[in-house]
Amino acid sequence: MNKESVRKSMLLSVTALVSLALAFGCAAPKAAPGAKPDKVVIHHFGDLSGPYAAITASAVAGFKDYSDWFNAQGGIDGVPIDDM
């Protein structure tokens, strides 16, 4: 095989794979709408002891303030977030 035929076959293969991926990826059925959950839990890790305590204590308090503010705005489509 020469270089030109290898390039053409590679281009054809890549084009076919991309076309198939787009066709099957876009044709996936949408999930049926279900019941809304009671809350959305967002886990975060705040190391409040040890060498990272000085950095993460303010981040944990900031995330708590943010979650309170976000829930006052209506949450995620009416579902409140809960920080753990």
Side-chain angles (χ1 to χ4, degrees):
M1 292 182 106
N2 60 14
K3 284 185 176 183
E4 188 65 28
S5 65
V6 171
R7 285 183 186 158
K8 285 182 182 179
S9 64
M10 289 294 287
L11 181 62
L12 182 63
S13 299
V14 169
T15 304
L17 287 174
V18 169
S19 299
L20 285 173
L22 288 174
F24 286 112
C26 294
K30 301 272 190 229
K36 289 183 181 179
D38 295 332
K39 61 184 177 180
V40 175
V41 179
I42 300 176
H43 296 279
H44 59 88
F45 178 76
D47 187 11
L48 299 176
S49 65
Y52 293 116
I55 300 169
T56 58
S58 59
V60 170
F63 187 76
K64 177 65 178 149
D65 289 342
Y66 172 74
S67 65
D68 292 341
W69 173 84
F70 192 78
N71 288 333
Q73 303 299 315
I76 301 172
D77 199 21
V79 179
I81 60 173
D82 184 24
D83 53 353
M84 305 250 5

